[in-house]
């Protein structure tokens, strides 16, 4: 019967009516033409003119008792098939209606632990307009989410009951070497004794017509860095050292790292600190090399590109190395043992927390936890590195993060929806995996519509403290920095053993307006809803309490007054 219907069915739509075409089925179907349609045995098929997202609806109707008679004259098998089809169609339509707020059928989520999406989102530090858009239409009706608080509280209670801060197993140095053979072949185990920053001389085999940055991945893949590298080229040839008919260049790594967290004031701290004459930063503010570029990540959603070799990262410190080289030469003429005062810094806000790329390159462990973390490799080369962390109330950090990176449809309503979804996804992971496995789970992190995991400061800090000593960290709060910039900067100077500033220099550094403040259009959206704030305070509470224990400072509880 179906081939006949398919050949006979035609849609002739106009302003007045829709043509209805039907065909009587029978046991003998011709392949040339359908038999004539007669009114007494008619199954009338109407096609709904309204387009739907995933399917068109065929509505089966009958006309009068004659139609029912035709239906009853079908063979039993065909009647069962038709009834079964109607049941399936009804279930599909019910699924569509029930999920209408999300404009999709009620199909199981594509989120599965252990698998990886082909288009993960671009993370912080890049152009916000390049981010994956994660749209959720807000509910049409004015729903009071206060009524939903008890159900969300159950989700949070489920997560809290499973929180366990365990100590990670540190990898062996030989395992690190096998994982990054090239990096260990380039960076030496010992550095110049009269330089605060870890520096060494390396032979440069190129000629004076050679472009030293010809293959640098930062300039190849990012047009915005080309002017930066033009400046590097102009300065390069005047800062080579010559000995025994060979050319040598000074290579350096950072003396200190501002490692996090995003939307916690790291940009403002960077902008003020670089005004100190003894501080030099990388040519690019946030190289993201340790966490992303060394794995070849340009945009995860576009797939992985060639890995950025360590030489490309070292190129970013050439201007600072040039100045250190000049000071070393001048100092050797006066006093060979005189320590160079210049220190190099790097300020990628992803360094503390982002280990998403591990799943692409490291063998998976049985418990789902990464075998290597960023700090393992930094410590292997720089066990004396200094680390600065700027933190903020994680509830406010998440809302600021949402406002900055969301490209459209921003509202307190939409934020609440995304927070609720993220909490449910996090709970699903915690049902099967450890806290650390979920925090570093690439699939989970890319599935969550807001970056809930970035505010779990205690988890990341504990993992860093298994590698570095506590006295190598300076942990700051954005709230304190905002209320007393001068005091915060003095703490940084003392931590880095920097010399004093003149009154004019200090005034310039401390009285300039804050960097990277919230955009006016985002401020106009107003604060998050009180119920959303309460939900997030409940979620982050146990993690803040652990942070207070680690740092012995109640201020990191961020308790409301």
């Amino acid at each position: 019967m179906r081939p006949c219907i398919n050949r006979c069915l035609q849609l002739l739509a106009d302003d007045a009516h829709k043509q209805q075409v039907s065909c009587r089925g029978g046991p003998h179907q011709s392949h040339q033409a359908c038999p004539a349609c007669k009114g007494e045995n008619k199954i009338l098929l109407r096609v709904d003119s309204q387009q739907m997202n995933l399917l068109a609806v065929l509505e089966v109707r009958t006309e009068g008792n004659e139609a029912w008679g035709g239906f009853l004259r079908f063979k039993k098998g065909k009647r069962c098939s038709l009834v079964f089809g109607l049941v399936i169609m009804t279930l599909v339509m019910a699924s569509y209606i029930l999920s209408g707020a999300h404009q999709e059928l009620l199909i199981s989520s594509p989120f599965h632990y252990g698998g990886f999406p082909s288009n993960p989102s671009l993370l912080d530090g890049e152009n916000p307009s390049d981010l994956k858009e994660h749209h959720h239409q807000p509910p049409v009706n004015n729903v009071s989410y206060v009524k939903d608080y008890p159900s969300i509280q159950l989700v949070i209670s489920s997560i809290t009951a499973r929180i366990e801060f365990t100590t990670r197993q540190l990898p062996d140095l030989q395992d690190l070497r096998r994982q990054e053979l090239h990096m260990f072949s380039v960076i030496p185990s010992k550095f110049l004794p009269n330089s605060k920053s870890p520096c060494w001389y390396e032979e440069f085999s190129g000629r004076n017509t050679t472009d030293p940055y010809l293959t640098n991945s930062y300039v190849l893949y990012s047009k915005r860095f080309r002017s930066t590298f033009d400046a590097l080229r102009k300065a390069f040839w005047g800062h080579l050292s010559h000995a025994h008919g060979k050319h040598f260049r000074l290579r350096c790594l950072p003396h200190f790292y501002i490692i996090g967290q995003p939307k916690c004031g790291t940009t403002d701290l960077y902008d003020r600190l670089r005004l100190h004459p003894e501080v030099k930063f990388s040519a690019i503010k946030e190289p993201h090399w340790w966490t992303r570029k060394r794995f070849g990540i340009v945009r995860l959603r576009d797939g992985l590109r060639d890995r950025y070799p360590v030489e490309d990262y070292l190129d970013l410190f050439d201007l600072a190395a040039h100045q250190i080289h000049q000071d070393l030469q001048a100092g050797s003429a006066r006093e060979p043992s005189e320590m160079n005062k210049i220190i190099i810094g790097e300020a990628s806000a992803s360094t503390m927390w982002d280990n998403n790329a591990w799943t692409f390159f490291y063998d998976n462990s049985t418990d789902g936890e990464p075998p290597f973390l960023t700090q393992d490799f930094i410590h292997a080369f720089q066990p004396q590195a200094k680390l600065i962390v700027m933190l903020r109330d994680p509830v406010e950090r998440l809302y600021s993060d949402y406002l900055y990176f969301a490209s459209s449809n921003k509202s307190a309503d939409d934020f609440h929806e995304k927070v609720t979804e993220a909490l449910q996804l996090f709970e699903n992971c915690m049902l099967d995996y450890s806290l650390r496995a979920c925090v570093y789970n690439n699939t989970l992190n890319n599935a969550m519509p807001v970056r809930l995991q970035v505010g779990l400061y205690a988890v990341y800090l504990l993992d860093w403290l298994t590698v570095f000593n506590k006295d190598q960290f300076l942990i700051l709060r954005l709230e304190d920095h905002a209320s007393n910039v001068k005091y915060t900067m003095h703490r940084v100077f003392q931590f880095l053993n920097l010399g004093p500033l003149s009154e004019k220099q200090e005034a310039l550094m401390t009285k300039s307006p804050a960097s990277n403040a919230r955009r006016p259009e985002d401020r106009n959206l107003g604060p998050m809803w009180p119920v959303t704030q309460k939900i997030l305070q409940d979620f982050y509470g146990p993690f803040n309490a652990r942070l207070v224990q680690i740092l012995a400072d109640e201020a990191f509880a961020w308790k409301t007054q």
Side-chain angles (χ1 to χ4, degrees):
M1 174 179 173
R2 184 170 297 177
C4 174
I5 293 176
N6 289 340
R7 287 193 298 272
C8 292
L9 185 62
Q10 301 176 8
L11 300 177
L12 301 175
D14 57 33
D15 296 334
H17 64 279
K18 296 179 181 176
Q19 182 66 37
Q20 302 167 359
V21 181
S22 62
C23 180
R24 178 182 65 182
H28 306 289
Q29 299 294 344
S30 170
H31 293 285
Q32 302 299 324
C34 292
C37 297
K38 298 180 182 180
E40 63 271 17
N41 290 330
K42 185 181 298 182
I43 296 178
L44 186 64
L45 297 178
R46 299 179 187 271
V47 178
D48 192 342
S49 62
Q50 181 179 1
Q51 286 190 339
M52 302 179 64
N53 286 344
L54 299 179
L55 67 155
V57 181
L58 294 180
E59 182 181 354
V60 181
R61 298 185 180 179
T62 59
E63 297 202 357
N65 295 330
E66 292 181 344
W68 280 108
F71 174 79
L72 294 174
R73 282 194 292 272
F74 281 164
K75 289 183 178 181
K76 182 178 180 181
K78 292 187 176 181
R79 292 202 305 271
C80 292
S81 298
L82 183 58
V83 172
F84 180 75
L86 289 171
V87 171
I88 294 298
M89 182 174 63
T90 301
L91 291 175
V92 171
M93 288 300 300
S95 172
Y96 176 82
I97 293 170
L98 288 173
S99 61
H102 292 87
Q103 298 297 316
E104 58 186 14
L105 296 180
L106 288 180
I107 302 172
S108 59
S109 170
F111 172 62
H112 299 287
Y113 304 111
F116 303 100
S118 58
N119 296 318
S121 66
L122 184 65
L123 301 176
D124 63 74
E126 307 290 352
N127 190 335
S129 64
D130 292 336
L131 285 156
K132 177 186 71 175
E133 295 183 4
H134 197 118
H135 297 299
H136 286 264
Q137 294 295 331
V140 176
N141 298 325
N142 184 17
V143 180
S144 174
Y145 288 107
V146 177
K147 296 180 181 179
D148 298 332
Y149 177 73
S151 61
I152 300 302
Q153 186 62 38
L154 291 177
V155 173
I156 296 174
S157 298
S158 173
I159 295 171
T160 302
R162 292 170 173 81
I163 294 175
E164 187 177 0
F165 297 99
T166 59
T167 303
R168 64 180 289 256
Q169 183 68 36
L170 292 179
D172 185 77
L173 180 60
Q174 294 305 316
D175 292 334
L176 294 174
R177 287 182 179 273
R178 282 191 290 269
Q179 194 65 46
E180 295 286 355
L181 287 173
H182 180 69
M183 194 192 311
F184 278 89
S185 70
V186 173
I187 302 176
S189 57
K190 294 183 178 180
F191 305 112
L192 296 177
N194 52 348
S195 173
K196 283 187 176 181
S197 295
C199 298
W200 68 97
Y201 281 102
E202 171 187 283
E203 183 180 354
F204 180 74
S205 57
R207 299 180 179 179
N208 57 5
T209 57
T210 303
D211 181 357
Y213 308 109
L214 181 64
T215 60
N216 188 288
S217 301
Y218 283 98
V219 67
L220 289 178
Y221 295 138
S222 300
K223 293 181 180 179
R224 60 192 175 119
F225 297 148
R226 290 178 183 174
S227 59
T228 299
F229 279 88
D230 287 340
L232 291 174
R233 288 187 188 92
K234 293 177 181 178
F236 181 82
W237 294 103
H239 295 88
L240 288 180
S241 180
H242 310 280
H244 308 293
K246 296 180 179 180
H247 304 296
F248 294 88
R249 66 191 296 189
L250 188 66
R251 288 292 207 178
C252 296
L253 282 168
H255 172 73
F256 71 94
Y257 296 84
I258 301 176
I259 63 175
Q261 291 288 69
K263 308 313 297 176
C264 290
T266 55
T267 298
D268 187 70
L269 179 62
Y270 161 85
D271 283 341
R272 297 181 193 280
L273 188 53
R274 66 176 179 164
L275 296 177
H276 197 290
E278 296 177 9
V279 176
K280 304 297 176 186
F281 278 96
S282 54
I284 298 170
K285 175 186 176 286
E286 295 191 84
H288 295 293
W289 186 80
W290 291 101
T291 55
R292 301 170 191 172
K293 306 303 185 185
R294 70 186 176 98
F295 297 103
I297 300 174
V298 177
R299 290 181 176 84
L300 278 175
R301 66 181 183 183
D302 298 332
L304 300 176
R305 295 184 182 176
D306 294 338
R307 300 178 70 174
Y308 288 32
V310 66
E311 290 91 341
D312 292 1
Y313 179 60
L314 296 175
D315 286 347
L316 302 181
F317 305 103
D318 273 1
L319 287 179
H322 296 337
Q323 187 166 346
I324 292 175
H325 170 66
Q326 285 182 322
D327 289 355
L328 289 175
Q329 286 185 323
S332 63
R334 300 189 305 269
E335 180 60 45
S337 62
E338 183 178 348
M339 178 66 70
N340 177 262
K341 294 182 179 180
I342 295 175
I343 61 173
I344 300 175
E346 200 251 72
S348 297
S350 64
T351 306
M352 181 174 175
W353 65 276
D354 187 356
N355 284 273
N356 283 330
W358 76 267
T359 53
F360 296 97
F361 293 93
Y362 303 150
D363 293 333
N364 200 354
S365 56
T366 55
D367 55 4
E369 297 183 9
F372 308 107
L373 294 177
T374 297
Q375 54 265 39
D376 299 330
F377 294 97
I378 296 178
H379 182 268
F381 299 110
Q382 301 174 255
Q384 304 303 319
K386 295 198 172 186
L387 308 161
I388 300 176
V389 181
M390 182 84 89
L391 301 179
R392 175 186 190 180
D393 181 348
V395 176
E396 294 301 326
R397 192 220 69 81
L398 186 64
Y399 190 52
S400 178
D401 197 66
Y402 163 79
L403 293 177
Y404 186 77
F405 287 111
S407 58
S408 62
N409 197 36
K410 289 184 284 190
S411 66
D413 187 3
D414 183 63
F415 179 65
H416 183 94
E417 290 285 338
K418 286 177 166 58
V419 166
T420 301
E421 180 182 344
L423 286 169
Q424 291 169 340
L425 288 171
F426 196 80
E427 183 205 18
N428 289 340
C429 182
M430 291 285 288
L431 293 175
D432 299 317
Y433 294 94
S434 69
L435 173 61
R436 182 179 293 106
C438 292
V439 167
Y440 294 121
N441 188 304
N442 176 64
T443 305
L444 173 61
N445 291 341
N446 284 301
M448 289 196 294
V450 288
R451 299 193 298 181
L452 202 70
Q453 79 283 6
V454 178
L456 305 181
Y457 308 142
V459 177
Y460 303 114
L461 188 56
L462 283 171
D463 282 351
W464 278 82
L465 287 171
T466 60
V467 181
F468 289 93
N469 295 326
K470 190 174 180 180
D471 59 6
Q472 293 178 252
F473 289 86
L474 175 63
I475 314 293
L476 303 170
R477 294 195 332 147
L478 174 60
E479 293 83 359
D480 300 330
H481 177 65
S483 63
N484 194 337
V485 173
K486 185 175 181 179
Y487 174 73
T488 301
M489 298 310 299
H490 280 192
R491 289 188 64 190
V492 174
F493 298 161
Q494 184 179 13
F495 177 70
L496 297 176
N497 296 316
L498 296 173
L501 296 175
S502 67
E503 291 185 8
K504 183 177 181 180
Q505 289 173 322
E506 187 167 294
L508 178 64
M509 178 179 294
T510 59
K511 294 182 180 180
S512 57
S515 300
N516 208 15
R518 185 171 295 178
R519 295 170 295 218
E521 60 270 25
D522 292 337
R523 290 198 298 268
N524 293 337
L525 293 175
M528 72 184 83
W529 289 350
V531 66
T532 314
Q533 184 181 44
K534 182 67 172 75
I535 287 170
L536 288 172
Q537 287 170 347
D538 292 344
F539 170 70
Y540 284 120
F543 299 96
N544 293 344
R546 187 69 179 93
L547 188 64
V548 167
Q549 294 177 351
I550 298 170
L551 302 177
D553 189 344
E554 287 290 338
F556 287 92
W558 285 286
K559 294 180 180 178
T560 56
Q561 301 299 326

